């Protein structure tokens, strides 16, 4: 695989990729990158790259700054070593960077961006905020230990500053003294061996006493520490030793903390290495305008508008390459420098990139195969005069390839069979291609031999291809044409360059009939291809026009649907308001009726008629083009009788006829209301079998479908009270003298409410609790008037 990667310039592609890594972690990961042969692993890597591109597309960038490779520092801390300030700063920076990345991903997920792989990586990061805080409180951003790291360090540094001030003050007095100035080479204070000194001329060394720490190159100047500051310098040196000891103590404490967090820190490093690598792939995908390919493990590749990533975008010509579907061998012919070798390298490099989890410089919808082995014999194009040793070298590679390949391999041959006699070379090339085909491997080969142009027409599973050459400009277009073999352009080029027709005709006569037939066939195919391309252009234009029309229609339909929905919402709102208003007025009418019943038990008919009129006026009048539905003549019997189930059309309510007033009017029971309704406002629903032509008195018997008991168990209090009201009216109409209301024992609230209501009802004669055989205190027995 390493040899193939070198031949296909995989390492050069990785150098492009490595520029997008944000840290040494990502760069190291890229350095070790190799194509995978596991389909699931490749799919996961491709999906990870896609998530990276999604983040970059939606968020613009990702925070990856501050990440360092701190593995060596962690290892030394674990075995008891002391880390220095810069190493501590790198650890804190890495913790901060990982914590910031984790927050970024969590926020992206809250923004409803689906990132399962990045979410999983972020979940592996444990934010070591305590360790980060400890380090940052001790070490500043320049890698220097802060005074605030400990009270002892603060005290020692205050002593150092005091001693330094004292020494400098005394030495400055000496350098400013007129008597001393002539003895000094320069009126400055400098440092030698971490001690403050002054530059004294050689001849005055005895005037100052003290210690000589250094001299100039000429020996004319001595750097002397005068006796007056020796003692203070000694104190200063002792304070600095204490400072170093305290710093080392603090670093040992922090190093121990780092060692204790070994597992969490290593997990952070490993995770951020993977993250940096992932986003390097994503940035590279943006650079090459890549897309995520579909993947398979059955040797199918379909690269749409593929571009070689190492060729500048303004120079490359995209190609469409297909292999492994209807054919598994591709034979590419064409002139020198026409792009055949580039085509092979594009096929190989894009396959390696796909198996490395990288997006491909192709259009959307491209597909790549995951091969177990990839072989390539690609070199500089050779002429038929090339030496035997070069031919032998190529054959050595080919022999090695044929020994190792299997049905899950991709093989790339450049100028197969070249370097020897054309007849033998062509025969050998055909034999090799046949062998690879029998094995079941996918193969793409380039050749000069005209014998191979007809090869694909005689072999199943083999397809011709060629790189196009423009005779007018005498330059290749680098377009790859699947299904069309390359033409021999020697005569056309010669004619274009001015060679006489007589010479060209003579040359053509020297070519065999079979060769001429092949050339004519290729010319015909080329002409047919050009016509097909023109037809395709027209078809694409019509398709685009149809797509534009379809999009416009969709927009219009969407606008219509929105307007319709808006109108429906407005109508629903108005209807709801009307119903609410009607309900409110109906509630007021019902309350009025109850007040009337309480104040005057003997309700007059004209009062009920007036109430019914008020209720009718309260019903909402919804505008509609449709007429009010009338009773169906087919479902209505010849005569409506008391007891018939009917529907009052104007109220859209069901009830039953209580009494016939006249041929055109009836009293109808609607729940707890009895109303006079016109016959044309009634729709017949059903009639109990027993009550066919039964007189009014019959509805007051037990056949009135009203039970002698009402079960309220499990009902809400408010609902139960309404049920009691309606049941009492139904029981009275049915002619019952005694009924039972089952309310259960429970907390007693329902029983109390029922009994309170019964006390105030005008038609209740008396009540008692149920006997032993009647349900006891869970039942109230009611005597009706």
């Amino acid at each position: 695989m390493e040899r193939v990667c070198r031949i296909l310039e995989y390492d050069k592609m990785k150098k492009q990729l490595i520029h997008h890594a944000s840290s040494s972690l990502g760069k190291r990961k890229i350095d070790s990158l190799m194509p995978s042969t596991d389909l699931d692993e490749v799919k996961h890597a491709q999906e990870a790259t896609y998530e990276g591109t999604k983040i970059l597309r939606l968020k613009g960038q990702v925070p990856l700054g501050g990440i360092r490779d701190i593995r060596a520092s962690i290892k030394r801390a674990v075995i008891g070593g002391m880390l220095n300030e810069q190493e501590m700063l790198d650890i804190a920076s890495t913790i901060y960077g990982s914590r910031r990345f984790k927050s970024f991903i969590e926020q992206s997920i809250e923004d409803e961006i689906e990132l399962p792989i990045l979410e999983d990586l972020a979940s592996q990061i444990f934010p070591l905020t305590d360790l980060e805080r400890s380090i940052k409180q001790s070490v500043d951003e320049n890698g220097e230990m802060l005074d605030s790291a400990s009270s002892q360090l603060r005290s020692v540094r205050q002593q150092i500053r005091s001693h330094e001030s004292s020494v400098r003050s005394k030495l400055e007095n000496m350098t400013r003294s007129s008597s001393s100035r002539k003895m000094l080479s320069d009126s400055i204070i400098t440092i030698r061996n971490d001690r403050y000194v002054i530059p004294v001329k050689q001849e005055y060394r005895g005037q100052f006493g003290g210690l000589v720490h250094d001299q100039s190159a000429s020996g004319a100047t001595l750097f002397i520490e005068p006796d007056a500051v020796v003692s203070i310098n000694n104190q200063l040196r002792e304070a600095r030793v204490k400072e170093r000891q305290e710093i080392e103590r603090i670093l040992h404490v922090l190093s121990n903390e780092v060692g204790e967090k070994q597992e969490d820190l290593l997990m952070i490093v490993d995770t951020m290495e993977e993250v940096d690598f992932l986003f390097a792939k994503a940035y590279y995908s943006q650079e090459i305008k890549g897309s995520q390919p579909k993947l398979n493990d059955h040797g199918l590749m379909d690269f749409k508008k593929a571009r070689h990533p190492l060729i500048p975008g303004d120079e490359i010509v995209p190609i469409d390459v297909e292999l492994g579907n209807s054919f598994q061998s591709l034979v590419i012919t064409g002139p020198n420098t026409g792009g055949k070798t580039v085509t092979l390298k594009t096929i190989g490099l894009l396959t390696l990139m796909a198996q490395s989890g990288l997006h491909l410089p192709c259009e959307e919808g491209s597909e790549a195969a995951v091969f177990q082995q990839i072989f390539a014999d690609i070199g500089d194009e050779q002429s038929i005069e090339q030496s035997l040793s070069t031919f032998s070298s190529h054959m050595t590679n080919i022999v090695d390839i044929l020994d190792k390949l299997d049905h899950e391999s991709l093989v790339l041959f450049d100028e197969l069979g070249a370097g020897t006699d054309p007849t033998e070379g062509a025969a050998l090339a055909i034999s090799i291609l046949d062998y690879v085909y029998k094995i079941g491997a996918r193969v793409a080969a380039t050749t000069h031999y005209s014998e191979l142009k007809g090869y694909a027409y005689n072999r199943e599973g083999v397809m011709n291809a060629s790189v196009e050459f423009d005779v007018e400009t005498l330059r290749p277009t680098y377009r790859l044409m699947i299904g069309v073999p390359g033409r021999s352009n020697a005569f056309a080029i010669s004619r274009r360059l001015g060679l006489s027709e007589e010479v060209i005709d003579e040359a053509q006569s020297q070519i065999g009939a079979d060769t001429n037939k092949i050339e004519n066939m290729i010319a015909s195919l080329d002409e047919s291809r050009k016509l097909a391309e023109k037809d395709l252009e027209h078809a694409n234009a019509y398709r685009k026009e149809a797509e534009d029309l379809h999009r416009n229609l969709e927009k219009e339909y969407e606008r219509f649907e929105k307007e319709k929905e808006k109108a429906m919402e407005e109508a629903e709102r108005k209807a709801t308001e009307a119903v609410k208003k009607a309900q409110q007025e109906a509630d007021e009418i019902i309350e009025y009726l109850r007040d009337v019943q309480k104040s005057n038990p003997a309700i007059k008919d004209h009062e009920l008629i007036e109430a019914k009129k008020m209720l009718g006026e309260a019903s909402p009048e919804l505008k509609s083009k449709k007429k009010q539905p009338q009773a169906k003549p087919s479902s209505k019997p010849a005569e409506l009788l008391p007891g018939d189930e009917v529907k009052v059309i104007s109220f859209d309510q069901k009830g039953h006829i209580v009494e016939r007033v006249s041929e055109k009017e009836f009293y109808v029971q609607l729940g707890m209301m009895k109303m006079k309704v016109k016959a044309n406002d009634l729709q017949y629903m059903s009639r109990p079998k027993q009550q066919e032509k039964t007189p009014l008195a019959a509805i007051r018997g037990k056949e009135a479908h009203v039970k002698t008991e009402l079960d309220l168990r499990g009902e809400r209090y408010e609902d139960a009270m309404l049920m009691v009201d309606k049941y009492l009216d139904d029981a009275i109409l049915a002619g019952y003298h005694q009924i039972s209301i089952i309310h259960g024992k429970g907390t007693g609230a329902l029983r109390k409410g029922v009994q309170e209501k019964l006390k105030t009802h005008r038609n209740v004669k008396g009540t008692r609790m149920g006997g032993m055989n009647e349900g006891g205190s869970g039942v109230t027995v009611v005597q009706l008037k």
Side-chain angles (χ1 to χ4, degrees):
M1 184 66 80
E2 290 183 3
R3 178 179 176 276
V4 171
C5 288
R6 186 183 70 255
I7 292 173
L8 297 176
E9 301 177 294
Y10 182 76
D11 292 336
K12 290 183 180 179
M13 181 277 300
K14 288 204 299 185
K15 287 181 180 178
Q16 290 183 337
L17 174 62
I18 207 168
H19 289 307
H20 297 286
S22 299
S23 69
S24 60
L25 292 172
K27 292 177 180 178
R28 180 174 299 178
K29 182 83 171 177
I30 294 170
D31 277 335
S32 61
L33 177 65
M34 289 295 288
S36 172
T37 57
D38 183 272
L39 179 61
D40 292 334
E41 184 178 321
V42 174
K43 284 183 177 179
H44 183 273
Q46 285 284 352
E47 192 61 33
T49 306
Y50 171 73
E51 288 190 13
T53 59
K54 183 192 289 188
I55 282 289
L56 296 181
R57 186 175 68 254
L58 298 177
K59 296 291 186 177
Q61 59 182 358
V62 60
L64 291 176
I67 307 300
R68 306 284 186 273
D69 188 356
I70 56 175
R71 293 189 183 97
S73 300
I74 297 171
K75 185 176 181 180
R76 286 201 300 111
V78 169
I79 61 177
M82 183 191 77
L83 307 183
N84 59 38
E85 291 92 336
Q86 187 57 51
E87 288 177 305
M88 288 296 177
L89 194 62
D90 288 344
I91 291 172
S93 177
T94 301
I95 294 173
Y96 171 74
S98 66
R99 180 165 56 82
R100 186 171 58 163
F101 169 76
K102 181 181 178 74
S103 299
F104 175 81
I105 295 299
E106 289 174 348
Q107 181 59 52
S108 299
I109 294 170
E110 288 180 6
D111 294 339
E112 298 184 353
I113 303 176
E114 293 186 9
L115 304 167
I117 295 175
L118 284 170
E119 182 179 6
D120 181 61
L121 287 172
S123 68
Q124 298 174 22
I125 297 174
F126 185 77
L128 301 174
T129 51
D130 291 341
L131 177 57
E132 179 190 353
R133 189 183 304 111
S134 297
I135 294 174
K136 288 188 174 181
Q137 287 177 349
S138 302
V139 182
D140 66 15
E141 59 186 12
N142 298 316
E144 299 292 335
M145 189 65 69
L146 293 167
D147 291 359
S148 58
S150 73
S151 57
Q152 179 66 25
L153 182 61
R154 184 185 296 108
S155 175
V156 169
R157 284 186 170 173
Q158 287 175 350
Q159 293 178 17
I160 290 173
R161 285 190 285 271
S162 176
H163 293 325
E164 286 179 338
S165 176
S166 179
V167 170
R168 294 187 69 86
S169 176
K170 288 188 177 185
L171 292 179
E172 284 173 357
N173 289 335
M174 292 181 183
T175 57
R176 286 197 296 264
S177 170
S178 57
S179 59
S180 301
R181 191 177 301 155
K182 64 179 181 178
M183 304 179 191
L184 302 177
S185 300
D186 199 353
S187 298
I188 61 170
I189 300 171
T190 185
I191 296 176
R192 291 291 187 276
N193 299 326
D194 292 332
R195 300 177 77 90
Y196 286 97
V197 296
I198 54 177
V200 180
K201 296 178 181 178
Q202 172 71 28
E203 57 269 26
Y204 297 110
R205 64 174 297 178
Q207 298 297 321
F208 289 91
L211 304 174
V212 177
H213 288 278
D214 198 4
Q215 66 179 10
S216 64
S218 63
T221 301
L222 301 176
F223 294 94
I224 295 177
E225 179 185 2
D227 287 335
V229 297
V230 169
S231 176
I232 302 176
N233 263 336
N234 288 339
Q235 294 175 359
L236 178 60
R237 189 178 186 88
E238 290 175 3
R240 283 177 174 160
V241 170
K242 290 180 182 179
E243 177 193 30
R244 186 67 243 170
Q245 290 174 344
E246 179 61 16
I247 289 174
E248 289 179 356
R249 185 192 69 79
I250 294 170
L251 290 174
H252 271 298
V253 172
L254 293 175
S255 298
N256 289 335
E257 289 187 39
V258 170
E260 291 172 359
K261 302 296 184 181
Q262 171 194 7
E263 292 184 2
D264 291 334
L265 285 170
L266 289 177
M267 179 60 73
I268 287 174
V269 174
D270 292 342
T271 301
M272 294 311 298
E273 179 181 59
E274 189 65 33
V275 167
D276 192 11
F277 172 60
L278 185 155
F279 280 100
K281 293 190 296 179
Y283 279 115
Y284 186 55
S285 176
Q286 285 190 334
E287 178 187 340
I288 63 175
K289 297 180 176 61
S291 64
Q292 182 181 3
K294 300 176 186 176
L295 296 167
N296 66 82
D297 58 357
H298 48 270
L300 171 61
M301 68 172 66
D302 183 10
F303 298 146
K304 303 179 186 298
K305 303 298 180 186
R307 306 175 302 278
H308 195 290
L310 301 182
I311 301 178
D314 57 347
E315 298 178 13
I316 189 66
V317 176
I319 59 174
D320 294 315
V321 182
E322 181 183 351
L323 182 62
N325 189 5
S326 57
F327 55 90
Q328 67 184 52
S329 299
L330 186 65
V331 179
I332 307 172
T333 54
N336 289 339
T337 69
K340 300 192 305 297
T341 302
V342 171
T343 298
L344 283 189
K345 288 188 174 182
T346 301
I347 293 172
L349 182 56
L350 264 57
T351 299
L352 293 176
M353 289 174 65
Q355 294 185 208
S356 302
L358 297 170
H359 285 180
L360 305 183
C362 301
E363 285 190 351
E364 294 287 343
S366 296
E367 188 164 3
V370 176
F371 293 99
Q372 296 302 306
Q373 299 180 95
I374 299 176
F375 302 102
D377 180 55
I378 300 175
D380 294 335
E381 292 182 338
Q382 304 291 330
S383 67
I384 60 174
E385 291 85 15
Q386 68 187 137
S387 65
L388 180 63
S389 60
T390 304
F391 173 76
S392 299
S393 175
H394 277 282
M395 287 310 300
T396 300
N397 292 336
I398 292 171
V399 169
D400 184 57
I401 290 171
L402 297 182
D403 286 341
K404 295 178 180 177
L405 67 83
D406 58 21
H407 68 284
E408 295 181 309
S409 302
L410 171 65
V411 188
L412 305 172
F413 291 127
D414 188 27
E415 294 303 332
L416 183 60
T420 186
D421 178 78
T423 304
E424 293 181 354
L428 193 58
I430 291 172
S431 179
I432 291 171
L433 291 174
D434 280 343
Y435 179 82
V436 175
Y437 179 80
K438 290 177 183 177
I439 295 295
R442 304 296 184 265
V443 59
T446 67
T447 181
H448 274 121
Y449 296 135
S450 59
E451 288 85 352
L452 269 70
K453 295 177 183 179
Y455 172 72
Y457 297 101
N458 302 322
R459 300 292 195 281
E460 184 181 354
V462 183
M463 179 61 68
N464 268 320
S466 61
V467 287
E468 189 178 50
F469 187 88
D470 191 340
V471 179
E472 296 298 321
T473 62
L474 302 181
R475 297 186 62 182
T477 65
Y478 300 103
R479 291 179 59 201
L480 182 69
M481 299 180 294
I482 303 291
V484 180
R487 296 181 60 186
S488 175
N489 297 296
F491 296 149
I493 294 172
S494 299
R495 184 177 288 109
R496 179 71 176 166
L497 293 175
L499 188 64
S500 69
E501 288 294 331
E502 181 180 354
V503 176
I504 294 173
D505 291 341
E506 179 64 24
Q508 287 179 330
S509 67
Q510 302 296 323
I511 297 177
D514 290 342
T515 303
N516 278 324
K517 285 181 181 179
I518 292 175
E519 289 299 322
N520 292 334
M521 177 188 67
I522 294 173
S524 176
L525 286 172
D526 195 32
E527 186 65 27
S528 298
R529 176 188 60 80
K530 290 180 179 178
L531 291 173
E533 286 181 348
K534 288 183 180 179
D535 291 340
L536 180 61
E537 288 180 5
H538 289 306
N540 285 337
Y542 287 129
R543 179 177 58 82
K544 186 178 184 300
E545 185 179 347
E547 287 176 349
D548 291 341
L549 179 61
H550 179 68
R551 277 194 296 270
N552 291 335
L553 288 173
E554 281 187 335
K555 289 179 181 178
E556 287 298 317
Y557 180 73
E558 184 178 352
R559 184 180 62 80
F560 168 74
E561 286 293 321
K562 287 182 178 178
E563 290 180 357
K564 184 177 77 171
E565 184 178 352
K566 185 177 180 181
M568 291 291 290
E569 289 177 354
E570 180 66 17
E572 185 177 351
R573 183 186 65 79
K574 290 181 178 179
T576 302
E577 291 178 356
V579 170
K580 285 183 178 178
K581 181 179 179 182
Q583 183 66 44
Q584 183 180 357
E585 294 178 1
D587 290 343
E588 293 174 357
I589 293 170
I590 291 171
E591 188 64 30
Y592 166 74
L593 289 174
R594 287 179 176 169
D595 292 342
V596 171
Q597 289 176 345
K598 290 179 182 178
S599 61
N600 187 6
I603 303 174
K604 305 297 182 180
D605 286 345
H606 72 275
E607 291 176 325
L608 288 175
I609 293 171
E610 185 65 24
K612 181 259 180 184
K613 183 179 178 182
M614 292 170 62
L615 187 60
E617 291 173 353
S619 61
E621 296 180 2
L622 299 178
K623 294 182 180 179
S624 174
K625 293 182 180 180
K626 296 181 180 180
K627 295 181 179 180
Q628 285 285 0
Q630 299 296 325
K632 296 181 180 180
S634 59
S635 63
K636 186 174 180 180
E639 183 181 7
L640 290 174
L641 299 176
D644 286 351
E645 295 289 333
V646 293
K647 179 179 180 181
V648 180
I649 297 171
S650 58
F651 293 109
D652 193 23
Q653 295 289 327
K654 293 181 181 179
H656 63 268
I657 296 176
V658 177
E659 183 180 350
R660 179 175 179 177
V661 180
S662 66
E663 292 183 359
K664 295 183 179 182
E665 286 187 314
F666 295 86
Y667 277 118
V668 179
Q669 187 72 35
L670 295 175
M672 63 178 291
M673 299 289 299
K674 186 170 73 172
M675 304 176 63
K676 185 184 290 185
V677 183
K678 294 185 181 297
N680 62 0
D681 196 21
L682 295 177
Q683 181 178 349
Y684 172 81
M685 302 299 292
S686 65
R687 174 179 295 166
K689 292 182 180 180
Q690 300 92 329
Q691 296 199 2
E692 289 280 342
K693 297 185 179 180
T694 303
L696 178 62
I699 69 168
R700 299 183 179 274
K702 294 182 180 180
E703 293 83 1
H705 301 289
V706 180
K707 295 182 179 180
T708 59
E709 61 182 30
L710 173 65
D711 193 347
L712 301 176
R713 289 174 294 182
E715 300 291 340
R716 295 173 61 251
Y717 181 85
E718 294 79 2
D719 294 339
M721 296 301 103
L722 293 175
M723 291 172 66
V724 170
D725 280 336
K726 181 179 181 304
Y727 177 67
L728 288 173
D729 290 342
D730 291 345
I732 292 167
L733 289 172
Y736 295 151
H737 298 290
Q738 179 175 301
I739 57 173
S740 299
I741 299 178
I742 305 171
H743 42 64
K745 298 178 181 179
T747 60
L750 190 58
R751 179 181 64 217
K752 184 177 179 182
V754 168
Q755 292 178 350
E756 288 294 327
K757 180 170 283 295
L758 293 173
K759 288 179 182 178
T760 60
H761 200 282
R762 66 184 185 280
N763 290 317
V764 175
K765 187 176 181 181
T767 63
R768 63 177 177 83
M769 300 303 296
M772 292 295 293
N773 297 326
E774 293 175 315
S777 59
V779 176
T780 297
V781 179
V782 185
Q783 299 294 327
L784 299 176
K785 295 180 181 178

